[in-house]
Amino acid sequence: KKQFAQDYIQEIKNNNNLMDLIKMKHKWNLNKVEEAINLFLTEQNALMTKYSSEHDVFRHLIHWIAANAPKMNVGSDSVKSNGKIIGM
């Protein structure tokens, strides 16, 4: 039976190897990893994505974070603007 990503939240958060892998690959602390996971779960639930197993969720999460990490401002306390002042 296929399940939604949200149904695997405990398996994701209790998988120390998965959490450590994400922290090491992206040089994030635990809070940043948890924020990224919450964003992943929110997006997958909005898309109503279903998974056959926790393995499928883990694999999708790893690839999703790798694809989205550069554009995620996870855990940032400040907003940085890329805007330029015209005429300067």
Side-chain angles (χ1 to χ4, degrees), residues 15-49:
N15 185 331
N16 292 329
N17 292 331
L18 178 67
M19 301 297 268
D20 288 343
L21 174 66
I22 296 168
K23 285 191 291 188
M24 286 188 297
K25 278 181 80 172
H26 302 287
K27 297 181 178 135
W28 289 350
N29 63 29
L30 183 58
N31 289 337
K32 286 186 178 187
V33 173
E34 288 179 345
E35 285 182 50
I37 289 170
N38 289 335
L39 187 57
F40 168 80
L41 293 172
T42 300
E43 183 175 300
Q44 298 317 306
N45 287 333
L47 296 171
M48 299 180 73
T49 306

Side-chain angles (χ1 to χ4, degrees), residues 19-85:
M19 301 297 268
D20 288 343
L21 174 66
I22 296 168
K23 285 191 291 188
M24 286 188 297
K25 278 181 80 172
H26 302 287
K27 297 181 178 135
W28 289 350
N29 63 29
L30 183 58
N31 289 337
K32 286 186 178 187
V33 173
E34 288 179 345
E35 285 182 50
I37 289 170
N38 289 335
L39 187 57
F40 168 80
L41 293 172
T42 300
E43 183 175 300
Q44 298 317 306
N45 287 333
L47 296 171
M48 299 180 73
T49 306
K50 288 190 171 184
Y51 299 91
S52 298
S53 68
E54 63 186 45
H55 169 76
D56 291 342
V57 176
F58 296 163
R59 186 183 327 178
H60 187 200
L61 174 63
I62 289 168
H63 291 289
W64 184 91
I65 288 177
N68 290 286
K71 54 191 168 192
M72 283 194 299
N73 204 11
V74 175
S76 176
D77 292 331
S78 63
V79 176
K80 293 189 170 55
S81 174
N82 289 333
K84 302 203 176 6
I85 299 173

